[in-house]
Amino acid sequence: MTTALYTHPDCLSHVTPEGHPEQVARLRHVLAALEGKALDRHEAPLAEEADLRLCHPQRYIDHVRSSEPAEGITQMDPDTWMSPGSMRAALRAAGGAIAAVDAVLDGRADNAFVATRPPGHHAETESPMGFCLFGNVAIAAKHALERRGLKRVAIFDPDVHHGNGTQDLVQSDGRILFISTHQQPLYPGTGNRDEYGPHDTIRNIPLPPETDGETFRMIVTQQVLPKIESFAPELILLSSGFDAHKDDPLASVNLETQDFAWLTGQMTALAAKVCGGRLVSCLEGGYNLEALAEAAAVHVDGLIAAGA
Ligand SMILES: [Zn+2]
């Protein structure tokens, strides 16, 4: 069996201002690091508006679409921009996540990595935020539940920033468990430990600055893995941000590349135990280009090893 990779050149057309951390070069570095790996490679399809409506109202989709400039770049929020091509990039990011879920649920792949941008986990129901336009992972989770008949999906978000958008989009749905580890204090300032959601399906695990790999591994082992296992999901989604790396310029958690390899091994082993190995990982953050590429490479190596 195989690990599928979903990506698309359109995701390189989403341009941010000079010096912006969420830059085109991020995806180029990730893809270069995945060259030559034993992946079943696919073009990420464009999401349909009906896919986006699984999480966002039509008026918001219309707002984003109509905000795309014909030339230059447009500011959507203090950190989030659109250029010509951004809407197609965003549709590829959501569409890639959905296609990856379908490939795994149909048994065409053991697991999958979605290498797209813009990322999605900060986008709220009606607000672009933190480099994100649409909630890719939340949309993929809703797709699995609403259209594929799954009863429970777990999302783990180890990006160093709280996945406020994903939490906003999924917390009213008791079929989705959402767990986020994130540095606190840090952007966006949300994700307190006492937010459980109306169905007790939200778990936020704040990490103090300078948290190291040993502490992170203990938290994952003692809090994240048992919670997902007891939820008994039929699919696990990862919001794979690699910005908890010690070299990342936007945060000060001190994971090393090998910690991402360890995490991948834990998540694939858990997926094998609880849901037949069905796991889809979507790229979120990671802003030191070398660290991002290295961490993504060991992550994908772990996915491939699990599928072998
Ligand atoms: Zn992040």
Side-chain angles (χ1 to χ4, degrees), residues 9-34:
D10 283 352
C11 295
L12 302 169
S13 300
H14 168 59
V15 177
T16 52
E18 183 79 32
H20 193 288
E22 205 295 284
Q23 55 182 305
V24 172
R26 294 180 63 243
L27 183 55
R28 290 193 195 284
H29 274 69
V30 168
L31 293 176
L34 302 185

Side-chain angles (χ1 to χ4, degrees), residues 121-122 159-162 241-243 250 284-287:
H121 75 149
H122 293 306
D159 188 285
V160 81
H161 303 95
H162 176 234
F242 299 100
D243 43 10
L250 298 194
E284 299 280 3
Y287 303 100

